[in-house]
Structures are given as structure tokens and as C-alpha cells.
Amino acid sequence: MSFSIQIESSGHMTETAPSGEKRLSIDVEYAQTTCDFFAKQIGQGVLVIDHDGTIVASSARERIGDHHENGARIMRGELDEYENTEAMARTSKGMRVGTGIAIDFDGTRYGVLAVACPPPYTMIYNRLALHSMLSMLGTRKAELKQQSEMEQLGATLEARITSIANELASASDRLADSTH
């Protein structure tokens, strides 16, 4: 079974697409917890950007809902990561010094993790936070796979029980016919 992975600003969602495909999405609440945890540890801003370039989780809550142009560029496939220098930040409205990196999982890009921090440690911090996000997605994918397998097993058992019940009913009818 293939999974498509998306960040949904409405929070954690697992959907079934019209094709029947299970969709795995990031838990925005978890993303927010990750942003807050790493921001507290490193003393810098951390945020997560969705497929449209919208900030969906941030240690600076006032930024949630804002558009992030470099994040959008990563999501469009123009970049895999970016670095905003002090000079770039000074000339741009809302841009901060830091780096952003694509959140790629099982070959699918579904978001961006950014750390607002001066060099040289910003990409190191970013990769540590990214590891946490990827671990959560791996766990969630395993849960979805297990759920799918349980649903398949349930359907198989239900079909087998129905078949046995039908065989018993048929045998009962034959027995009743043979005794009359």
C-alpha cells in the first residue's frame, strides 16, 4: 500500500483518498511541540511550513498562518534547503536569519522545517529537529500499516465466517429436505 504524506494545518489527519489509498499526514500538534521543544533547547525560533508555504507550527506563535517564500520554494522543488544571511534578512520584510530544510520521507516532500538562528550551528539544529519529525512519521506510517493489516484480517475473517454460516444453512436445508 502506498501512502501520500501531507501537512494539514487543521491538525493530525489520516484520510482515505477516493482511490482507497491511506493518507499519512503530520500531526500539527506534534510539529508545534517539536518547535517549542527545540526552541527552548537552543534558544532560537523553529517552525514548520506546509505544502503551500504557510507556517503551520512555530515557536513564535504570531508567525503561524504567515506565508514563507523560501519554504514555498522548497515545496515547489526549486530548492532542497536554504540559508538566509543577515544581509538577506535586512532587505526582506519578515525574513529572519536561519536555514530551512525539506522534510522528505519515503521519497515524498511534504513540508519544511526551519530554524531562525545565526550560523554556524543553524543547519545542525535544523537536522536534529528534522530527525524528530521523521521519527514521528515513521511511527505513524507503521501504525497505519498495522491498522490496514488488521482491517484486511477482519474482512477476511468476516468473509470466512459468512461462508461457513452459509454452508451450515445449506447443509441444514438439505438435511431437512432429506428427512421429509
Side-chain angles (χ1 to χ4, degrees):
M1 172 175 285
S2 64
F3 296 89
S4 61
I5 303 168
Q6 302 175 27
I7 294 175
E8 299 289 341
S9 58
S10 60
H12 174 74
M13 296 170 51
T14 301
E15 302 174 346
T16 302
S19 65
E21 172 187 39
K22 289 285 188 183
R23 288 184 165 177
L24 175 65
S25 61
I26 194 167
D27 184 333
V28 174
E29 201 173 302
Y30 181 85
Q32 185 61 57
T33 300
T34 299
C35 289
D36 292 340
F37 173 80
F38 279 95
K40 183 177 179 182
Q41 299 305 310
I42 65 176
Q44 305 294 331
V46 180
L47 54 88
V48 175
I49 303 160
D50 75 2
H51 60 281
D52 293 325
T54 302
I55 298 171
V56 295
S58 176
S59 56
R61 299 292 194 284
E62 68 275 8
R63 296 196 71 190
I64 296 173
D66 289 352
H67 180 75
H68 193 287
E69 184 53 37
N70 280 334
R73 290 181 66 204
I74 287 177
M75 292 309 298
R76 289 192 301 264
E78 297 171 21
L79 306 168
D80 291 328
E81 56 187 54
Y82 69 85
E83 180 179 354
N84 291 336
T85 64
E86 287 185 36
M88 294 166 72
R90 276 195 305 273
T91 63
S92 172
K93 179 182 174 247
M95 187 182 290
R96 298 181 184 183
V97 174
T99 59
I101 188 169
I103 304 172
D104 292 335
F105 183 76
D106 279 354
T108 302
R109 177 162 298 172
Y110 68 96
V112 178
L113 184 66
V115 176
C117 170
Y121 301 109
T122 183
M123 192 52 82
I124 294 168
Y125 293 151
N126 209 323
R127 292 189 194 289
L128 288 170
L130 177 64
H131 178 73
S132 176
M133 298 295 290
L134 295 177
S135 293
M136 182 275 302
L137 287 170
T139 299
R140 186 67 185 125
K141 182 178 179 181
E143 289 171 355
L144 277 179
K145 182 179 179 191
Q146 184 178 27
Q147 178 185 359
S148 176
E149 289 169 352
M150 293 300 290
E151 288 170 2
Q152 289 174 352
L153 178 60
T156 300
L157 287 173
E158 183 179 352
R160 186 66 184 135
I161 290 169
T162 300
S163 174
I164 291 168
N166 289 339
E167 289 174 23
L168 287 172
S170 178
S172 177
D173 289 345
R174 284 193 309 274
L175 182 60
D177 288 344
S178 69
T179 59
H180 288 98

